[in-house]
Amino acid sequence: MATTSNMFMYSLTIQPPTTITQALLGQFSGTREQQIITASGSRLTLLQPDPKLGKVLTILSHDIFGIIRAISLFRLAGSHKDYIILATDSGRIAIIEYNPKLNKFSRIHLETFGKSGVRRVIPGQYLAADPRGRACLIASLEKNKLVYVLNRNSQAELTISSPLEAHKHGVLVLSLVALDVGYANPVFAALEIDYSEADQDPTGEAREEVETQLVYYELDLGLNHVVRKWSDTVDPTASMLFQVPGGNDGPSGVLVCGEESVTYRHSNQEAFRVPVPRRRGATEDPQRKRMIVAGVMHKLKGSAGAFFFLLQSEDGDLFKVTLDMAEDAEGNPTGEVKRLKIKYFDTIPVATSLCILKSGFLFAASEFGNHMFYQFEKLGDDDEELEFNSDDFPTDARAAYTPVYFHPRPLENLALVESMDSMSPMVDCKVANLTGEDAPQIYSVCGNGARSTFRMLKHGLEVSEIVASELPGTPSGVWTTKLTKYDEFDAYIVLSFTNATLVLRIGETVEEVTPSDSGFLTGVPTLAVQQLGEEGVIQVHPKGIRHIVRGRVNEWPSPQHRSIVAATANENQVVIALSSGEIVYFEMDADGSLAEYDEKKEMSGTVTCLSLGVVPEGLKRSSFLAVGCDDCTVRILSLDPETTLEMKSIQALTAAPSALSIMAMEDSFGGTTLYLHIGLHSGVYLRTVLDEITGELTDTRQKFLGPKPTRLFRVLVQNQPCVLALNSRPWLGYTDPLTKGFMMTPLSYTELDFSWNFSSEQCQEGMVGIHANYLRIFNIEKLGDNLIQKSIPLTYTPKKLVKHPDQPYFYTIESDNNTLPPELRAQLLAQPSAVNGDATLLPPDEFGYPRAKGRWSSCISIVDPLSEENGVLHRIDLDNNEAAVSVAVVPFASQDNEHFLIVGTGKDMVLNPRQFTEGYIHVYRFHEDGRELEFIHKTKVEEPPMALIPFQGRLLAGVGKVIRIYDLGLRQLLRKSQADIAPTLIVSLQTQGNRIIVGDVQQGLTYVVYKQESNKLLAFADDTVNRWTTCTAMVDYESVAGGDRFGNLWILRCPEKASAESDEPGSEIQLIHARDYLHGAPNRTSLMVHFFAQDLPTSICKTNLVVGGQDVLLWSGIQGTVGVLIPFVSREDVDFFQNLENHMRSEDPPLAGRDHLIYRGYYTPVKGVIDGDLCERFSLLPNDKKQTIAGELDRSVREIERKISDVRTRSAF
Amino acid sequence: ADKLRTQQELERLQAKYIGTGHPDTTSWEFKTNIHRDTFSNIVGHPPLLSYIALAQNEPVAKVRAQMIRKMLQPAGPPPPRE
């Protein structure tokens, strides 16, 4: 298959996956500081918990371009640094080190052991490292296990041996951990099932007798081989192992967790077992058994042998498990275990990984929804919780015992400190502009169960407002100033009005300063204020410059009949422009007075703006002056003593400049670069590089910010000079702390007219701004995250989302399987037996809903995303064990195009294998502009309809394999036309004109045409490949973009001839009698674009994301990814990026050794897509590599960086 | 000799990679292999596992264990030998 295409897309991730598949705690920087490493999708992320602030900060996120299957860490004896072992789909084992100086992961070892890909017998599913860092075991789901010996050589470098095999045919592994055995030979414990006998026995008896085994594999370091040392039968439901401390710290061994059972096992110890307590409550099923799904072991500091486990059940309940040791005659603990104890600890959301920090925090990486960061208040030592111990229970899990119960209660031992936003699982997503801002927002539904949310994602930086106060008039400018060079904070706020100036003093309270005190002229407007020299302050007003030094005032009057129109100043220099177009330059003398430079420079047009840079450290002056004139030019003048006011360079612009700012900013080369920022009257913002020696302007990048003239101000955010650009929205230009790339991000704040830096004792790094007659002081706390989230809680796991056609409301359908519906809950609670203390209702968002097999809870919610308080306006619960599966808003032509909400439901559904008793289509009428819904009727259909869309003033429903057109009747929906189209089950429908695109759950897309004259639905094209479609969107009349269950994104196109023929009037005869081609429709679609995205796409839509940007394809993934596919317009760009991508593949090969091209072509060779995520890593390369690539591409490094950032900024965030 | 080498190579592959077919692969063997591959594939791809767990409203860890246990005999017992 050709990998070139005549359609090319640029794939970019706007939001990386937020799920965490595994999290581990370690000391990766080589210091005592504990950090958390997480694997999320293809990304390896390093988190730094800050115990003081109670926050978790992201230090580094690295896309390894491979599927991370397992991570583990180890520490060599005597070292303080943890190394990371990565098991990915590359067929290689990678050992990674974190380099805190460069803030980078670097690879130390990469050993190939097998084929690439996620396969049954290729190791990588399980990974365990010996706690003493001597060996690691990497295992596959079936058969293969490889042991690598880790050591160090004479140069103290880490070495890795060739692999030792411990394969056994026909063995499935359920869980694998390393045993803590001190310094004895490393031992690994695996939970295994052997199917080889069952495979030979036709009677099926052997299958019944299959036992779950706990097997110890010992690595004999002396003989250098691995032996199966010990095995024993354990609980048949066992699925998880936990390491028990050994050596001096404990008895060694493992905890084997199965269904309602936690058993302590070790080769030389007796078994001890405790059951997992069940929840007691009126709505709880007393017979339901729980499994352990996550857990963590923690050794307490100080006392040897003190440790405990926190194990989490599937409801999210944490149990504290401890071991009692037998004592000898003198009362000293021996190495023998006496009993196992379990007690209820607290309830938190179900986690994939738990990490207990030494500083007393618990990091819980939730499997769905926000990740939680808790602080331990106590360890549950002396509370009234019942403790159950193994003395009362048989060790055989199949033996009879009385189950034990506990009462769940709100958090007692833990306190929530921070909840880290996570969009995983993202189920559906729509783009709309409801706020009336210029750029649209992304609306999505995420989460599961009672922790589900509706989230709004907006491009912008979070701003916190400190003060907003009304002013007597409408000011035109605002400045802050210190009084002397040595002041730490600003002393005055100066406000300029049309014919007056107001000076305010900053202190505990803000009060007006009298003119005699401040020395400012208050009867005139102000053009600039600046602290000058050691103790001076200047005020520039239209008629002159006022220099105030310790209360003494020197006035420089402007020449007669001319006034000052623009001014700029820094600590040592002042420049003003006169109405005649002359420029006057002043510099501080040694004695602290302002000295005017003799010559005036005359400009060709009226000067509109000026800028002097800040005086660079160690120098006396800034050597450049930027002058903007109304003839659409910017000139750079020299301020060096030899060449004062000589022109260095000139740049023509598309509009008159409205603001200029010369500023040095951090760049991706690891230093700083001097930039000239230019704001234009047309609302465009430009950034050009100003050469520090020649003053030449190069590398211009531009962005359209809004319809008003752009004004620019230099501000400090997190000690970084940033440019604040004001337009219809305020924007901040800054260097991203992680990628070091320049970002221009809107602030989530009101419009501002003028702004200045602000620093006081209360607010060290703020900004002051004015708009209309309001003065606002605000600050920006975080620069890393440029997407703002707002979330609204929902009731059950959301399934789909639709928007009201004209009103800003969304309708979500939500359903939870195996959940007790509200009416039954109420019934149970009302029973008299429930009264004795069990009737306390626990908030479901923490404790979940009570479960009941085969039951469904489902509802329709009306969400108002713009409301400040409760976002869900109304909720309709579905009864009768029905669950909503699809939703659409349909205008019915027979009802004067009135819109109705159509919801498809299924009754008594069983997911696997698919079963149901009935399917329905509900119709609801909108009331009060969509704020309320009225149920009209429901129509029984033979299967739950999985897809619904409006079609030519009627409803088109995908019911099983059939598509059917319905019209609205009085009592029910009326069938108008139908056709048996899809082979398995229709899950998605799209339409344009007479064309319908049918997506099958398993067999890909079918193109269908609706023939109005004969009222027939006829398939005319389908796909060559089975695509397990999850979502589709029509790109144009012929092409459809979609995603499948395995993480691929693709675009298919119908042949032009077939497309045209299908729409010809009277072509139905041909279509009906057309010969089937290979048991399918007469025509085949062709593949235009194919790309492996790793995450499973749940929705895709064609939309635009920025003002004036082109249309892109936006997709969302279940792990919380939001990505875009940007179409390329010119072939030239495609060639450039293809070349760049090729070079990036060789210069920056993926960390875990996966071949990038193979990764992106995981199932089908990548076609017509350039991986923007890889291209964007260009800015992170070391300079010499950048130079090499730039040389190969025949371009400059800056040019390449500009091209990369242009693609992103033009179409996405 | 070439034929022998091909034969040996095939046998080596069959030993190394479970599920490599041979002329006498039975329908049951084939089905069992395909099912086992499917389950191991679901377990190996976290997004796919989350997708299923989310639909079933069960914890991921539980679904994972269920999938692995299903690999035991996914297509029923082997047909009786003649």
Side-chain angles (χ1 to χ4, degrees), chain A residues 779-840:
Chain A
N779 71 351
I780 299 165
E781 276 163 15
K782 227 167 42 176
L783 279 186
D785 207 357
N786 67 352
L787 286 174
I788 298 175
Q789 278 189 26
K790 183 189 165 191
S791 69
I792 294 168
L794 298 175
T795 316
Y796 305 115
T797 310
K799 301 287 169 190
K800 270 180 187 131
L801 172 76
V802 282
K803 190 187 163 286
H804 190 281
D806 351 279
Q807 301 297 329
Y809 303 122
F810 279 98
Y811 304 88
T812 61
I813 51 166
E814 302 155 34
S815 52
D816 266 347
N817 193 5
N818 291 338
T819 300
L820 206 59
E823 69 268 15
L824 282 181
R825 258 179 270 162
Q827 229 175 55
L828 284 172
L829 283 173
Q831 271 172 13
S833 61
V835 179
N836 51 9
D838 290 354
T840 42

Side-chain angles (χ1 to χ4, degrees), chain A residues 416-473:
Chain A
L416 182 64
V417 182
E418 203 206 359
S419 154
M420 292 167 68
D421 276 336
S422 166
M423 307 265 284
S424 152
M426 179 141 45
V427 187
D428 200 359
C429 159
K430 293 266 181 307
V431 177
N433 189 354
L434 303 187
T435 54
E437 287 166 24
D438 31 16
Q441 306 88 42
I442 301 171
Y443 296 89
S444 67
V445 280
C446 331
N448 78 326
R451 295 177 73 226
S452 311
T453 48
F454 174 96
R455 290 186 197 227
M456 176 169 90
L457 264 189
K458 202 167 82 176
H459 181 220
L461 285 170
E462 200 91 58
V463 170
S464 47
E465 184 170 85
I466 296 161
V467 177
S469 65
E470 212 174 331
L471 294 169

Side-chain angles (χ1 to χ4, degrees), chain A residues 737-751:
Chain A
L738 286 181
T739 64
K740 301 289 174 213
F742 182 77
M743 307 285 268
M744 196 74 186
T745 309
L747 302 182
S748 165
Y749 202 53
T750 56
E751 187 182 342

